[in-house]
């Protein structure tokens, strides 16, 4: 096993099993990594989930239009969510779990 030179959302990455990479950290580090991941990928969340955290009058239809810009819409969505970002992050982690968020291909 060898430590990689790059990190994954702040977690140390190790190479083992013939080149497979594993991100490793404490519970606290994994929680923070999930928070960073969510903050950086707001644009990819379902509009129905995001709509619960944006101001009244900003519906799923508006969020869908904003999301069409993919990654470049992330900051706009973060601003729409505003002070509720912490609640959104907590609910996403509680609903889906860190494993699904940080390793969506295999949980």
């Amino acid at each position: 096993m060898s430590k990689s030179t790059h990190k994954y959302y702040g977690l140390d990455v190790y190479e083992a099993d013939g080149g497979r990479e594993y991100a490793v950290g404490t519970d606290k580090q994994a929680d923070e990594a999930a928070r960073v991941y969510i903050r950086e990928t707001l644009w990819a969340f379902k509009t129905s989930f995001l709509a619960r955290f944006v101001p009244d009058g900003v519906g799923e239809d508006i969020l869908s239009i904003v999301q069409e810009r993919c990654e470049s819409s992330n900051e706009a969505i973060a601003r729409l969510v505003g002070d509720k970002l912490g609640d959104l992050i907590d609910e996403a982690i509680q609903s889906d779990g860190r494993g699904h968020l940080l390793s969506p291909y295999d949980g």
Side-chain angles (χ1 to χ4, degrees):
M1 179 182 307
S2 62
K3 186 175 180 181
S4 178
T5 58
H6 72 277
K7 292 188 178 264
Y8 183 72
Y9 295 101
L11 296 173
D12 289 329
V13 175
Y14 293 86
E15 190 175 304
D17 295 334
R20 298 181 93 182
E21 291 185 328
Y22 299 89
V24 178
T26 65
D27 278 338
K28 184 176 179 179
Q29 291 168 326
D31 283 341
E32 182 58 26
R35 286 176 167 16
V36 171
Y37 173 83
I38 292 166
R39 173 64 178 83
E40 292 180 4
T41 60
L42 290 170
W43 63 272
F45 278 79
K46 290 184 177 183
T47 56
S48 59
F49 179 75
L50 292 172
R52 299 189 346 235
F53 300 96
V54 297
D56 291 341
V58 179
E60 290 182 45
D61 54 338
I62 293 171
L63 286 167
S64 292
I65 292 167
V66 173
Q67 284 180 310
E68 288 176 8
R69 306 288 286 172
C70 296
E71 291 94 339
S72 64
S73 69
N74 208 59
E75 188 57 36
I77 293 170
R79 287 181 184 207
L80 285 169
V81 171
D83 293 341
K84 293 184 180 179
L85 182 59
D87 295 336
L88 182 152
I89 289 170
D90 290 343
E91 190 166 328
I93 292 172
Q94 185 177 22
S95 296
D96 292 337
R98 294 183 319 221
H100 173 74
L101 294 164
L102 294 174
S103 182
Y105 57 91
D106 68 3

